[in-house]
Every structure is written in structure tokens, then in C-alpha cells.
Amino acid sequence: MLETARQYRCSTLRPTELVDDLLARIRSGSLNAFITVDEAGAMRDAGKAEKALKQGSGDTLTGIPVAVKDNICTRGIKTTCASKILANFVPTYDATVVERLRNRGAIIIGKTNLDEFAMGSTTTTSTFGPAKNPWDETRTPGGSSGGSAAAVAAGLCAGALGSDTGGSIRQPASFCGITGLKPTYGSVSRFGLVAFASSLDQIGPMARTARDTAVLYDAIKGHDPSDSTSVPRGYPAIDLKSPDMNGIRIGVPDEFFAEGLSPEVALSVRRGISTFEGLGARIIPISLPYIRYGVAVYYIIATAEASSNLARYDGVRYGVRKEGSGDLTDMYMETRAQGFGAEVKRRIMLGTYALSAGYYDAYYKKASQVRVLISQEFEAAFTRCDLIAGPTAPVCAFGLDEMMDDPLSIYLLDIYTIPANLAGLPALSLPCGFSGEGMPVGMQLIAPHFREDTLLGAGMAFQDHTGFHEVRP
Amino acid sequence: MKITEPEVVHVARLARLKLNTGEVEQFQKDLNSILGYMDMLSEIDTTGITPVVHATNIMNVMRPDTIIGSQTLSDALSNAPKHKAGNIVVPKVIE
């Protein structure tokens, strides 16, 4: 992204030339990374950007092609959430993040594939078919922001937006060998993000490098009066010079290297941590005993919130309607039966059950209390360290034909990413190695609330001394 | 068995989801397995802990009472599956 901006500035590349080339590559590719490509809009905006650059009025993002996950509203461009129920939905407004990117001159090239309503870790529950991993097209790119990750890794856009409720930016970033940031809850507006689990959802940037990720984050962050959970405070620009890592304290929790972790992933992540040590960071062993309950807590809270958020899809105001045998309730039930896929129904059922009379205390209330314990545990840990490091996911990208039938084993893939969502903390996934089969491995860094500067700074320092982010599929 | 078949049917009704027999069976199996896993939470003593509903501590966010633009009627209706004379049409609710 910064490289493209530099090429624009020395006129060795023009936006229309780049966008034209990307559109041709998207058209001829087989990754299924995009649900909708806005060819006309992208070419129009490339023309505008070219004019601005010629007049010298452009900034870093002018003419930069960005892909947007298809659960983020784009005015006049279909936003489907990869669901049948929204297959024909055309928003009448832009999400705040899209508006901010457009105002900076970025080009929205298209809308990327995801698990239906962002519920999944493989981009296989999309009603438009699975997205594929550019490192090996027989494998999953991860999910739910799998289309965004695949598009960035394959160089079909300079950067992308994803959303992360339990790891949906970081895990696909890890599977596709790119950099992905889940920002602090409340630092990026959710206005225009189709809600899945409102207390956990956060939009964030994905790019090849930590620096590019920082540039995108800078463009989208900040208070938005249209989102009442957006936190009003100062949001200083991220320094793109990599910081001195000398004396930075990195906590490494035992629980992040427990059973279920692939030995290859463990090895690469351990080496990544040693790289930081080589740069002068102090490695501090820590313990976070409550995070082992994270998956259980998450799948109660996220499904409870989802069951409530998805009640709006009733075939009345938008989306697809299926008439039943006559009455209104029947129309609702028929619309939802035909409009939602199996995983979405499963989560609505689980969430409805967890909130229903007689079970509320045992599930939802209990989970919300354990969530407090997890947050407190992080707070205590951050008195002893500046960052926490570990793997992003327990495994590398696996084959699309190796998909597990049991939903619980898929849920357990989120074991390392979920805690940051429960506590609202910012977290970054960085490429830190490759498996024996050549699949990328991701390392996760977690920082205290609103310390994206420390997090992205560490990412830049790491990438200044390693080459994993430069290897292309 | 955490959740019985009649309970699955009841929850589906609450969630306004029409399920076929195969789905009822499948979801009963899936939900039992997932809820079984969630039992681990009962190991933790949470007496006296006030539950949180979100991760930031901001509440009651107000905006100044100023008039701003809103969607036009045609925009608001543009995605409605059925509408007539500026109104959304649904199956009859009151006899």
C-alpha cells in the first residue's frame, strides 16, 4: 500500500492502470474471494484519484484499492453477508469506515466472501461457495474474513477491511500469511457493520505489512456519534517508524502453548518470540488460567447476542421474503427457514436457548460473570507486561475436504483469539513462519486497551527484522 | 441429555425458525454436545461477581437534539420485498 502510494507519487504507476489490472486478475482467478466486484465504480474512482494525484492534492490512500468484507454496508453496492436472506440487499448508506476510506480517496474495489453472517472460521458456510487459500487452493483461507485475507494475500487489492467477533480477522490473516488487526472495542465505528454479536464485533484492517495495516487503521479509527459504543477520546496517528523494542516486556502465557497446539505452529511462534528477545524485549512467563473457559463463554454470549440481532430478518423491511400458508408468523418462520443456512440456525437456536426462561442464569449470566474474570486476568497481566504473545490459531490452514463435521471442534479453533474479544483488547496477527507443507503460521500479539501504537509498532519492528511477510503465494 | 426434542421444537418456535424433522434431530444432537462442553463453567465460583454486558464502561450515551438529514421514503422502501402507496405490505394480522 505504502509502496503503491510511492509508485503513484513518482508516476511509475497510475491508479487506472493498477485497478484495470486487478479487475482482470479477479475476473480470471478462482479463489472466490469476492462476492461482488464493483468494476464501474472502481474505474470511476481510479479516474478521480488519478486527477487528484496529477494536481498534487492526493494523500497516502488516494487511488489505493481496498476490498471490503460483505457484511459492511456500501451505498448502492450489494451487501449480502454471504446469506440467502440478504442476497438482494442494497444499502442506501455507507458504513462510517467506508465513508472514511472514500473521503481519503481510497477505491472500494469489491465486497469479499465470508462465512454466512460472519459465523464460522473457514469461509465455507457462505451461500456463494467457499473462498480458497491462495497458498493452496484445496485449503480454506480461514474465516470468517476469509475472502478479505485471500484477496490481500493474492495481491488482488492493497488492503482490506474485515470484522472480528472471535478471531475472524486474525485467524484468516494467520492462515493466509498476512497481517491483521482487531482494534480495541470502541475504537472503530460499527455503524454500517451488520451486527452479529454487538459487544464483541469490531471492524479492522488487513494488509501485507504492519505498516500498511497501521495506515488503514489510522484512516478508519476514531469516535463516531452514529455508534453509541464508539469511545470518545483522542486517537493519535500511529508512528510508522519502528520503535526500539529494548526493554519492552512481552508476556507469554503457558495456556497459549497447551494441548491441541500443532507442534509446527508452536515452533514458529517460539522462534518469533525469540526474535523479539533478540531485539531487546524481555520475555516474561505469565499465566492466564481463566482463558481456558473462553470458548464456552464466547459461544454463549455471541450466540445470545446473535439470536437477538438476527431477529430483524423477518422478510418485512429488507431481504428475501417467503410467504407461508397465510399468517404473519408463518411468513416469518418460512422466510427464516429458507433464508438462513445451517450454522446460522444452529447459533440462533443455541442463543435463544441460553436466553430462554429457566436457563438464563445458568448460561448467559454465568458466562457474563466469567467474562469479567477473564478481563480482570488480562488487566492484572498488563501490570507486568506491555504485550502478550502466542499463536493466533492452533493449526495452519487445512484442506476444504478435511472440514470437521462436529461444530464444537470448529469452535475450538478460536481458542486463542476469543479472549481478546471478550476483554475488548486490541490484537494483531503477524506472519512468523511456515509449516513443513509451506502453509503460513501466524503469531498473535495482544495489547492493553487503546495501545494499538505498541501493538503495531512491535509488528513493524518484527517485520523490519524478518522476511515472512514478504513471501508471496 | 440437556435438551429434549420438545424443547428443541419450543426454542425453534421462540426463534421463529421452521425446522424439519431432520433438523430437529440434528440440532438436538449438536446443542447437547455444545451445552455439555459449556458445563465446564460450573467449576467456577462466580458468587458476587456483577456480570458485564460489554467491554467498555461507557453508558447512556446522548447526542445533542439537533435535526439532521434522514432517509427518503423511497430509499427506506427500496429494499422492502412488498410495498404499496408508501407502506410495507405484510400478511393480514387483525381479522
Side-chain angles (χ1 to χ4, degrees), chain A residues 90 92 199 228 293 299 315-319 321 326 333-334 336-337 345-346 353 359 366 368-369 372 412, chain B residues 7 13 15-18 23 30 35 37 40-41 43-44 46 49-50 52-53 61 71 79-81 89 91:
Chain A
V90 181
T92 54
S199 81
S228 61
Y293 300 102
Y299 278 93
V316 174
R317 289 148 300 163
Y318 33 68
R321 175 191 293 193
M333 296 191 64
E334 199 64 48
R336 293 162 64 80
K345 286 182 190 168
R346 187 178 294 120
Y353 177 79
Y359 299 104
K366 185 81 183 182
S368 305
Q369 287 172 315
V372 175
L412 287 166
Chain B
E7 278 182 303
R13 179 79 193 167
R16 297 288 183 264
L17 282 173
K18 190 170 156 185
E23 284 175 312
D30 294 346
L35 292 168
Y37 175 78
M40 65 157 72
L41 295 183
E43 296 165 11
I44 309 169
T46 49
I49 295 169
T50 314
V52 284
V53 289
V61 178
Q71 287 205 75
N79 279 292
V89 178

Side-chain angles (χ1 to χ4, degrees), chain A residues 221-238:
Chain A
K221 73 187 183 189
H223 180 243
D224 176 14
S226 302
D227 171 3
S228 61
T229 59
S230 158
V231 180
R233 69 195 302 278
Y235 290 88
I238 304 288

Side-chain angles (χ1 to χ4, degrees), chain A residues 21-73:
Chain A
D21 173 51
L22 294 180
L23 290 173
R25 289 181 46 212
I26 293 169
R27 246 180 268 128
S28 65
S30 50
L31 293 174
N32 204 22
F34 287 88
I35 291 174
T36 303
V37 181
D38 184 19
E39 298 215 5
M43 281 313 288
R44 178 198 63 218
D45 292 346
K48 273 192 214 160
E50 209 156 293
K51 228 182 242 166
L53 288 164
K54 238 178 232 157
Q55 291 163 352
S57 63
D59 86 357
T60 325
L61 282 177
T62 304
I64 299 294
V66 177
V68 175
K69 189 177 182 179
D70 208 25
N71 61 348
I72 299 174
C73 286

